[in-house]
Amino acid sequence: MRLPLPLLALAIGAFGIGTTEFVIVGLLPDVAGDLSVSIPSAGMLVTGYALGVVVGAPLMTAAGARLPRKTMLVVLMGIFIAGNLLCALAGDYSALMAGRLIAALTHGAFFGIGSVVAADVVAPDRRASAIALMFTGLTLANVLGVPLGTLLGQQFGWRSTFWAVTAIGVVGMLGIVGLVPKQPKPQAGALRGELAVFRKPQVWLALTTTVLGFGGVFASFTYLAPMMTELAGFSDGAVAWLLVLFGVGLCVGNVAGGRAADRSLMPSLYVILGGLSLVLVVFTFTSHAALPAAITLLAFGAVGFATVPPLQARVMQQAAGAPALASAANIAAFNLGNALGAWLGGLAVAHGLGWTAPTWIGAALAAAGLGTAALSGRLDRRSGPRPLPAEPLPTGPGASPAAADAAGAGYGATSSSNRS
């Protein structure tokens, strides 16, 4: 599929956001030394960002409910730029944490609203792939942004990395201004409509599937470095290249997951979550030798990030007619999954269960996510198929709420998503 220019602009913004989220991990020693804090205290900059995403995703989306989506994306990129500029200028730990929190507030809303815009600029049978293309910016952030940002910070000081991310944010904002088509202003009562979707059990089942499924990814990924060095026998210097290998898998899985979800959403979700659980079980055995561990790591990256497009598309499908807030809430759910998986994996390690224990926990979480998805699919079959719109939603100024509700019954769904 040819890359529409609006998706390129969204992907650039996603690249900047993904880079600023994860690059701090590689800069922790530099930040800690320069600001005279301990490395665990510096590590709270990661936790603080994740909490900022969880809080900011629904709040920022709700705050912008009366603004056209393009306008809100521009506002979010402006706040993101301001947060990273504060990080670059930070003279102490508190200022750096404040900058991280400000930048984090935009994360969930950007991906949530951006997912809706991405799905809206392509044909209905390409929506999941369009979401995947936007998220390619996030995967490239892991493959290129984080290693290059870390190298830049190590060579020229950690503040230089945040200056670079600030510049990327400016490019992303200009791209959105120039390339994303004008979006209509939401109708009166749009926020009430967005909030109403949370009365639906299927929306909560979709969000729970995201927490459990992606929690399985981060339970293992968080402790990847010690598992590779202590068990597989890699040197500390090889970890960066292993992360690049994992990132290559992310890129492949992201695109494949989007295409699979376009063909058949729920069956794809079942296969991907089941495959994730299986790969993690295999990883507990292959992690004891270098070559098998590297091969499995590539597969882990691919199947782990293949979950993202169908999980996001599923929430948008179930939040029919009002997908933006639920979509942003799903980004918060991804981050809750990150925190849950890392916390459970850390408990296992702290109790002396070894470096493979987090991966076993990840396999269990992914299996639980599969069970939740299966329950949701069963409810779909009981209630009958959800109709899909033959045309894009009538979102123009003259569209009536009744017409939007009728067409919105399948909004965000893919062409074959009814085949459970």
Side-chain angles (χ1 to χ4, degrees):
M1 181 176 70
R2 186 175 64 86
L3 178 63
L5 291 178
L7 296 184
L8 175 61
L10 294 172
I12 293 171
F15 178 81
I17 290 173
T19 299
T20 204
E21 179 180 16
F22 296 114
V23 75
I24 193 69
V25 174
L27 298 174
L28 286 184
D30 303 87
V31 171
D34 187 50
L35 299 181
S36 300
V37 298
S38 66
I39 288 182
S41 293
M44 291 299 294
L45 294 166
V46 179
T47 305
Y49 188 96
L51 293 176
V53 174
V54 172
V55 173
L59 289 182
M60 295 296 290
T61 306
R66 296 183 181 275
L67 294 176
R69 289 177 180 140
K70 176 178 178 177
T71 302
M72 188 58 188
L73 287 172
V74 173
V75 170
L76 290 170
M77 288 307 299
I79 297 171
F80 172 80
I81 291 166
N84 281 282
L85 184 60
L86 179 57
C87 289
L89 296 172
D92 56 33
Y93 177 82
S94 297
L96 180 56
M97 177 63 82
R100 294 280 292 169
L101 288 171
I102 291 171
L105 290 175
T106 69
H107 184 123
F110 180 87
F111 282 106
I113 296 171
S115 293
V116 178
V117 173
D120 218 27
V121 298
V122 297
D125 63 342
R126 295 289 188 179
R127 285 174 172 168
S129 290
I131 295 169
L133 285 171
M134 184 191 73
F135 274 91
T136 297
L138 185 60
T139 61
L140 287 176
N142 284 277
V143 177
L144 298 175
V146 172
L148 291 177
T150 300
L151 180 62
L152 180 67
Q154 290 171 344
Q155 295 296 317
F156 300 102
W158 59 267
R159 288 179 179 82
S160 65
T161 300
F162 288 102
W163 281 113
V165 173
T166 300
I168 293 170
V170 171
V171 173
M173 184 171 69
L174 293 176
I176 291 169
V177 170
L179 299 177
V180 172
K182 185 177 180 180
Q183 302 289 306
K185 186 175 181 179
Q187 298 172 2
L191 179 57
R192 290 195 299 272
E194 296 277 354
L195 291 172
V197 303
F198 292 102
R199 299 173 187 166
K200 300 179 181 181
Q202 284 282 41
V203 171
W204 287 105
L205 283 173
L207 293 172
T208 301
T209 303
T210 296
V211 171
L212 294 172
F214 217 65
V217 174
F218 262 74
S220 179
F221 176 70
T222 302
Y223 303 96
L224 182 66
M227 187 166 67
M228 293 293 93
T229 55
E230 298 292 333
L231 299 182
F234 286 100
S235 65
D236 291 340
V239 171
W241 294 107
L242 290 170
L243 290 175
V244 171
L245 181 65
F246 181 80
V248 170
L250 295 186
C251 291
V252 173
N254 181 51
V255 174
R259 291 178 177 175
D262 275 330
R263 288 194 297 270
S264 188
L265 177 56
M266 291 307 290
S268 297
L269 190 55
Y270 301 150
V271 170
I272 291 168
L273 288 173
L276 174 60
S277 184
L278 178 61
V279 167
L280 288 171
V281 169
V282 171
F283 203 14
T284 63
F285 296 99
T286 60
S287 61
H288 295 276
L291 182 59
I295 294 172
T296 312
L297 180 62
L298 179 65
F300 174 32
V303 73
F305 223 77
T307 62
V308 173
L311 287 171
Q312 191 75 357
R314 177 63 173 172
V315 169
M316 292 170 64
Q317 179 195 57
Q318 293 304 318
L325 185 56
S327 182
N330 200 45
I331 303 301
F334 279 115
N335 280 268
L336 281 176
N338 296 354
L340 174 67
W343 177 65
L344 291 176
L347 282 180
V349 171
H351 283 81
L353 298 180
W355 290 116
T356 59
T359 303
W360 281 112
I361 290 172
L365 287 172
L370 173 60
T372 306
L375 173 60
S376 182
R378 184 177 180 183
L379 292 177
D380 274 352
R381 291 190 293 273
R382 284 184 175 181
S383 61
R386 297 173 60 82
L388 297 178
E391 301 179 16
L393 283 177
T395 54
S400 69
D405 288 342
Y411 182 70
T414 55
S415 60
S416 307
S417 60
N418 295 325
R419 294 198 296 272
S420 300

